[in-house]
């Protein structure tokens, strides 16, 4: 039956309920007896629908953002609402926002509705020809086009990417984008300081099951030059080796030559491991005010007295990072400790260690200070 013959409600909530009912009905249908041609048509129609709904998602998200509807349910931002309220998680929430930013029609400060940043891409999504994954790849390519490229050329580039996306997978769009960027700026001379500042970034990714964290970054030439100048002094062979108690600490220039030479012989770390350890030593020195600088970067950690006494378990920093207690002792060794003790029963901060029941916590405080001294 032609879908134009179906009478659909104009109320978005009613239409969403109808869509949910259709999906529920669809999930209960037996498909084993469906003819192959019908099955293929069904798959293609569903994929087209998924892609159209990506455009609907963006339109709804625009309204949620423009009208700050997320505050009505107790959230402070669109991202928080998506990640926590709708339980998408940070990664999926970010991807939704990127797609909406590219194809959504947001309202400006004058109350006027703006055209999409990626107009040809928005049309293709509305037709069900491409989906959100295509949108994000196109957006990533457009973000890399140098600022010096004129607006007409940028518009033609976006239209071309939207056109090829109708025939290619998201990965294919990425490949086409690389060729397009090479054509627009073949030798890199068009890129200027504005582009480098816009693209700069350094992100620490979430911890994995081993509590390790990958990093993702895009460094400006200036930051790279500064890191290349500073890190070799802290990450030189033999320096700041956590596995060697006799390894010199600090910079290679301040190390005793004989001690350093002996430490170099014992150093089996890879260059990457030395860089990690050198960066950690540099940050600790900065936090403790080595070299006459102001002490900065307070580290706030929550840990129970049992975990500390047993040197087992996982402590939690104020920023949400999980640190094994055995490594926390090492981190705190160079710090000036400030202890706050909380009741396990009430969660309230205790003002002192006067009662007999608090004596153990007083000893715990002394232990923290002695281990961190």
């Amino acid at each position: 039956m032609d879908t134009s013959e179906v009478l659909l409600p104009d109320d978005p909530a009613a239409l969403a309920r109808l869509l949910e009912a259709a999906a529920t009905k669809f999930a209960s249908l037996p498909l084993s007896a469906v003819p192959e041609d019908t099955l293929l048509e069904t798959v293609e129609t569903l994929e087209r629908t998924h892609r159209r709904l990506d455009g609907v998602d963006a339109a709804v998200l625009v309204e949620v953002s423009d009208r700050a509807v997320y505050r009505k349910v107790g959230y402070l931002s669109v991202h928080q609402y998506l990640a926590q309220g709708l339980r998408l998680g940070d990664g999926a929430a970010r991807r939704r926002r990127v797609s909406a930013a590219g194809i959504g029609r947001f309202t400006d400060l004058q109350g006027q509705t703006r055209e999409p940043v990626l107009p040809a891409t928005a049309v293709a999504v509305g037709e069900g020809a491409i989906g959100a994954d295509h949108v994000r790849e196109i957006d990533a390519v457009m973000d890399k086009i140098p600022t010096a490229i004129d607006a007409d050329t940028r518009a033609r580039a976006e239209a071309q990417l939207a056109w090829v996306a109708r025939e290619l997978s998201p990965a294919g769009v990425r490949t086409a984008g690389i060729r397009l960027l090479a054509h627009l700026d073949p030798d890199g001379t068009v890129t200027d300081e504005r582009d480098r500042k816009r693209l700069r970034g350094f992100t620490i990714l979430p911890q994995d099951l081993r509590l390790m964290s990958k990093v993702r970054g895009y460094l400006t030439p200036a930051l790279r030059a500064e890191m290349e100048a500073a890190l070799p002094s802290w990450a030189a062979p033999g320096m700041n080796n956590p596995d060697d108690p006799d390894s010199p600490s600090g910079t290679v220039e301040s190390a005793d030559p004989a001690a350093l030479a002996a430490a170099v012989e014992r150093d089996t770390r890879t260059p990457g491991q030395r860089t990690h350890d050198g960066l950690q030593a540099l940050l600790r020195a900065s936090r403790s005010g080595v070299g006459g600088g102001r002490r900065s970067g307070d580290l706030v950690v929550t840990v129970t007295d049992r975990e500390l006494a047993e040197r087992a378990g996982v402590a939690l920093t104020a920023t949400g990072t999980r640190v094994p207690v055995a490594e926390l002792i090492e981190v705190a060794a160079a710090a000036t400790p400030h202890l706050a003790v909380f009741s396990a029963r009430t969660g309230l901060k205790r003002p002192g260690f006067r009662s007999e029941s608090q004596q153990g916590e007083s000893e715990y405080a002394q232990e923290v200070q002695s281990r961190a001294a």
Side-chain angles (χ1 to χ4, degrees):
M1 181 176 60
D2 189 345
T3 55
S4 62
E5 299 176 9
V6 180
L7 184 61
L8 299 175
D10 292 327
D11 176 56
L15 196 57
R17 289 192 296 269
L18 183 61
L19 185 63
E20 183 180 24
T24 303
K25 174 66 175 178
F26 210 109
S28 67
L29 291 178
L31 300 175
S32 57
V34 174
E36 292 181 354
D37 289 344
T38 302
L39 190 60
L40 289 173
E41 180 186 356
T42 301
V43 170
E44 292 172 2
T45 302
L46 284 175
E47 183 56 36
R48 209 162 43 244
T49 303
H50 282 308
R51 292 170 174 176
R52 289 179 186 271
L53 285 174
D54 286 337
V56 174
D57 279 341
V60 172
L61 192 57
V62 166
E63 290 301 316
V64 170
S65 175
D66 282 354
R67 294 155 61 178
V69 179
Y70 48 84
R71 294 178 182 171
K72 189 176 181 65
V73 284
Y75 295 98
L76 302 178
S77 66
V78 172
H79 182 88
Q80 189 183 59
Y81 172 60
L82 292 174
Q84 300 177 19
L86 298 184
R87 304 185 306 282
L88 296 181
D90 287 328
R94 183 188 62 81
R95 291 190 289 272
R96 290 275 184 96
R97 292 191 297 107
V98 168
S99 297
I103 63 177
R105 290 174 168 80
F106 289 86
T107 303
D108 62 23
L109 295 178
Q110 288 73 40
Q112 301 296 317
T113 301
R114 301 195 311 261
E115 286 300 308
V117 175
L118 306 173
T121 304
V123 170
V125 172
E127 295 174 357
I130 66 175
D133 289 337
H134 292 94
V135 174
R136 288 188 288 271
E137 292 295 346
I138 293 172
D139 179 77
V141 174
M142 295 300 297
D143 191 51
K144 292 181 176 65
I145 294 180
T147 306
I149 299 296
D150 63 272
D152 288 342
T153 302
R154 292 179 66 89
R156 290 198 300 272
E158 188 267 330
Q160 185 172 5
L161 288 170
W163 178 71
V164 299
R166 292 171 178 266
E167 301 294 333
L168 299 177
S169 68
V173 173
R174 188 184 313 140
T175 301
I178 293 172
R179 296 181 60 184
L180 176 64
L181 291 170
H183 174 74
L184 294 176
D185 189 12
D187 52 8
T189 56
V190 178
T191 298
D192 59 18
E193 184 65 18
R194 292 172 297 175
D195 299 307
R196 287 187 282 271
K197 287 184 176 180
R198 177 171 53 84
L199 296 173
R200 74 188 188 279
F202 188 87
T203 304
I204 301 177
L205 300 179
Q207 290 176 285
D208 61 19
L209 294 177
R210 297 170 296 178
L211 305 186
M212 301 292 283
S213 302
K214 290 185 177 182
V215 296
R216 179 178 62 220
Y218 214 24
L219 308 184
T220 60
L223 177 57
R224 175 176 177 138
E226 291 181 40
M227 291 183 68
E228 289 178 333
L231 278 177
S233 182
W234 294 81
M239 293 298 302
N240 300 298
N241 187 350
D243 300 324
D244 183 359
D246 297 323
S247 170
S249 59
T251 62
V252 69
E253 292 80 9
S254 64
D256 176 75
L260 177 59
V264 169
E265 293 295 323
R266 300 188 297 268
D267 196 345
T268 59
R269 296 172 297 171
T270 66
Q273 290 171 333
R274 293 202 313 269
T275 299
H276 173 280
D277 298 340
L279 179 60
Q280 186 176 45
L282 178 60
L283 291 174
R284 288 178 179 174
S286 172
R287 196 172 71 245
S288 60
V290 171
R294 179 176 62 85
R295 181 178 171 275
S296 63
D298 289 338
L299 183 63
V300 180
V301 183
T302 301
V303 62
T304 68
D305 55 349
R306 176 177 296 180
E307 289 171 335
L308 189 63
E310 296 177 355
R311 296 201 177 198
V314 177
L316 188 67
T317 72
T319 57
T321 296
R322 295 168 292 160
V323 182
V325 172
E327 295 184 24
L328 175 64
I329 303 296
E330 177 188 346
V331 171
T336 301
H338 298 274
L339 178 66
V341 179
F342 294 82
S343 168
R345 185 178 66 258
T346 65
L348 298 177
K349 186 174 180 180
R350 294 187 175 181
F353 303 102
R354 296 187 180 88
S355 70
E356 184 177 346
S357 64
Q358 295 171 343
Q359 182 62 35
E361 291 174 338
S362 179
E363 295 172 355
Y364 158 56
Q366 295 173 3
E367 182 180 7
V368 172
Q369 292 175 350
S370 66
R371 291 185 179 183

